[in-house]
């Protein structure tokens, strides 16, 4: 079989997925911006084998990586559709990220997007009559929840929302109506700290299980999704800013108020947020921040004000270690290589 390769980007949630049940089924719907510069590229090769032993070789940036390899083997074993691949073939998977490993960007989203897409292509489950992106999104979710939102763009909705009949907890769908104001969003990721996360997302999600504010949080996220869909349609920057920032702070409040409380924001995170508030107040430019499960600040703004914002980012360069400039994207693809 020819070697095939998949390239899919990471994504940043505007409305956060935080709390899950079953196998990465979300407690509330989420909406994300698909990125383009931060991506994973993974290739797969299948060789005939005679032995009954599992033969699985996983290389990340040229080196074998046993921790992630075990996670991928378990993932394949647990999918009835993919399991025969492990029984019948020797598998070689090679993966690399476009962004530095230390950047604190969640790589499991782009990594599982590529892995699910590749396995789907090479397995017999790939019934061409069904929508490939939808199926890939479903299988990626079973590996890591946020991965299901990396197949299309620029905005994705994952999770059942009463107002949107096609929405589902099983996979993400593209947000159809997006105003030109939001089509070319930029995301400058200001890296405050580049050490690995102290508390994994999985542990964080589980702390929502008996969180005193859980039901209010899920209700709020639901409401924010409805509001964000109409905001994306109307082009209202003020509304985009207030929903996005409130969501980021709400996610971190959940961490800080869970029974085993913890805090991922650093002094640098708070200081950058204050500088953004001041800059916005002075200039009235439509920029805002969001955070994922870490201390780094994502600065979101439309392309049209890029030069002014880049000047601001340069002026506050003592506040962060380095910056990654990313922007809205449309997902990825699988190709022969
Ligand atoms: C804070 O998708 O990394 O980034 O499903 O357990 O793999 P698992 O978690 P993961 O959680 C992402 C959490 C988040 C918010 C989001 O991306 O919506």
């Amino acid at each position: 079989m020819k070697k095939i390769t998949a390239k899919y980007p990471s994504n940043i949630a505007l409305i956060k997925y935080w709390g899950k049940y079953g196998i990465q089924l979300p407690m509330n719907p989420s909406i994300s911006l698909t990125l383009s510069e931060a991506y994973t590229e993974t290739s797969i090769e299948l060789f005939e084998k005679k032995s009954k032993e599992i033969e699985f070789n996983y290389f990340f940036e040229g080196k074998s990586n046993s921790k992630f390899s075990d996670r991928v083997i378990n993932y394949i074993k647990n999918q009835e559709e993919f399991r025969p691949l492990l029984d019948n073939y020797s598998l070689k998977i090679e993966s690399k990220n476009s962004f530095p490993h230390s950047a604190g960007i969640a790589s499991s989203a782009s990594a599982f997007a590529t892995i699910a897409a590749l396995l789907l292509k090479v397995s017999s489950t790939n019934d061409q009559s069904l929508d490939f992106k939808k199926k890939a999104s479903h299988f990626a979710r079973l590996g890591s929840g946020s991965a299901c939102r990396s197949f299309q763009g620029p905005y994705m909705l994952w999770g059942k929302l009463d107002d949107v009949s096609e929405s589902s907890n099983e996979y993400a769908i593209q947000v159809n109506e997006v105003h030109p104001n939001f089509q070319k969003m930029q995301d400058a990721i200001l890296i405050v700290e580049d050490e690995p996360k102290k508390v994994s997302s999985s542990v964080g999600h589980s702390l929502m299980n008996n969180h005193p504010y859980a039901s209010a949080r899920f209700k709020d996220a639901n409401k924010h999704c409805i509001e964000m869909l109409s905001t994306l349609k109307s082009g209202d920057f003020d509304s985009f800013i207030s929903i996005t920032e409130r969501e980021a702070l709400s996610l971190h409040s959940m961490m800080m108020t869970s029974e085993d409380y913890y805090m991922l924001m650093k002094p640098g995170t708070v200081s950058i947020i204050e500088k953004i508030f001041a800059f916005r107040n002075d200039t009235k430019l439509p920029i805002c921040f969001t955070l994922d499960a870490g201390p780094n600040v994502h600065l979101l703004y439309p392309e049209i004000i890029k030069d002014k914002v880049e000047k601001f980012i340069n002026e506050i360069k003592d506040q962060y270690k380095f910056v990654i400039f990313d922007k809205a994207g449309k997902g990825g693809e699988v190709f022969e290589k």
Side-chain angles (χ1 to χ4, degrees):
M1 197 206 85
K2 286 206 184 89
K3 180 171 170 176
I4 60 166
T5 302
K7 182 177 155 183
Y8 285 96
S10 186
N11 65 75
I12 176 74
L14 305 173
I15 313 300
K16 309 295 182 181
Y17 148 57
W18 201 240
K20 62 178 176 178
Y21 67 98
I23 305 176
Q24 275 82 252
L25 290 163
M27 293 299 289
N28 63 261
S30 58
I31 294 177
S32 57
L33 171 70
T34 306
L35 299 178
S36 54
E37 305 298 315
Y39 62 83
T40 299
E41 195 173 303
T42 306
S43 62
I44 190 168
E45 282 175 283
L46 267 57
F47 305 95
E48 297 289 340
K49 69 162 180 164
K50 300 240 157 32
S51 81
K52 288 209 164 9
E53 302 285 297
I54 289 180
E55 292 180 23
F56 184 83
N57 291 299
Y58 180 88
F59 299 94
F60 180 71
E61 285 166 4
K63 295 193 192 99
S64 62
N65 178 326
S66 62
K67 203 168 155 218
F68 199 67
S69 170
D70 291 346
R71 186 166 167 194
V72 178
I73 294 181
N74 275 332
Y75 166 75
I76 302 177
K77 276 188 188 161
N78 287 333
Q79 314 315 321
E80 213 184 294
E81 296 82 353
F82 299 155
R83 170 86 225 197
L85 292 171
L86 271 187
D87 295 336
N88 302 325
Y89 298 98
S90 165
L91 266 60
K92 182 179 177 194
I93 296 186
E94 291 171 288
S95 194
K96 61 179 186 222
N97 289 343
S98 65
F99 46 92
H101 192 52
S102 57
I105 296 179
S107 60
S108 70
S110 51
F112 267 103
T114 59
I115 290 164
L118 288 174
L119 293 170
L120 195 57
K121 278 274 180 206
V122 297
S123 69
S124 51
T125 349
N126 188 19
D127 171 357
Q128 299 294 342
S129 63
L130 290 171
D131 181 353
F132 178 78
K133 285 175 186 157
K134 204 180 258 184
K135 275 201 293 177
S137 171
H138 161 88
F139 280 111
R141 186 209 95 227
L142 297 168
S144 176
S146 53
C148 78
R149 300 183 308 225
S150 281
F151 292 91
Q152 297 171 79
Y155 297 91
M156 298 294 284
L157 165 67
W158 168 39
K160 190 67 199 155
L161 203 58
D162 288 340
D163 304 32
V164 184
S165 59
E166 328 78 86
S167 64
S168 169
N169 281 349
E170 310 268 338
Y171 50 81
I173 57 170
Q174 187 167 309
V175 175
N176 281 330
E177 294 175 294
V178 179
H179 191 277
N181 280 357
F182 299 125
Q183 290 282 355
K184 293 190 174 171
M185 281 309 265
Q186 312 288 301
D187 178 10
I189 311 165
L190 308 190
I191 309 298
V192 173
E193 193 168 303
D194 48 5
E195 282 166 18
K197 283 189 219 169
K198 290 192 179 64
V199 181
S200 72
S201 287
S202 281
V203 171
H205 286 292
S206 71
L207 289 171
M208 287 307 284
N209 291 342
N210 45 27
H211 196 295
Y213 306 145
S215 65
R217 161 66 202 153
F218 301 143
K219 210 170 134 206
D220 214 25
N222 223 81
K223 178 170 156 274
H224 284 162
C225 277
I226 297 168
E227 289 170 358
M228 184 55 94
L229 289 179
S230 67
T231 298
L232 288 174
K233 189 172 161 184
S234 70
D236 181 344
F237 277 121
D238 289 342
S239 165
F240 182 92
I241 291 168
S242 75
I243 304 169
T244 303
E245 293 188 343
R246 186 149 185 265
E247 271 293 313
L249 297 176
S250 168
L251 167 72
H252 283 256
S253 324
M254 290 301 110
M255 298 170 187
M256 292 191 271
T257 50
S258 58
E259 208 164 272
D260 286 327
Y261 56 89
Y262 61 107
M263 184 159 78
L264 297 179
M265 283 195 273
K266 295 283 169 194
T269 315
V270 178
S271 164
I272 292 173
I273 291 174
E274 287 190 329
K275 298 228 179 288
I276 295 170
F277 288 160
F279 178 70
R280 189 167 67 220
N281 205 27
D282 292 349
T283 63
K284 310 288 176 232
L285 290 172
I287 76 164
C288 67
F289 72 86
T290 189
L291 307 165
D292 64 9
N296 303 324
V297 183
H298 290 247
L299 204 50
L300 304 173
Y301 50 97
E303 190 189 36
I304 190 165
I305 60 165
K306 198 169 176 245
D307 293 346
K308 289 186 184 121
V309 177
E310 284 180 8
K311 193 164 159 271
F312 163 67
I313 291 173
N314 191 45
E315 276 162 18
I316 59 161
K317 62 172 181 284
D318 56 329
Q319 304 286 319
Y320 56 86
K321 289 191 173 164
F322 60 99
V323 54
I324 296 175
F325 289 101
D326 210 327
K327 55 178 182 295
K330 291 208 167 339
E333 55 179 348
V334 181
F335 46 92
E336 276 182 16
K337 190 177 123 188

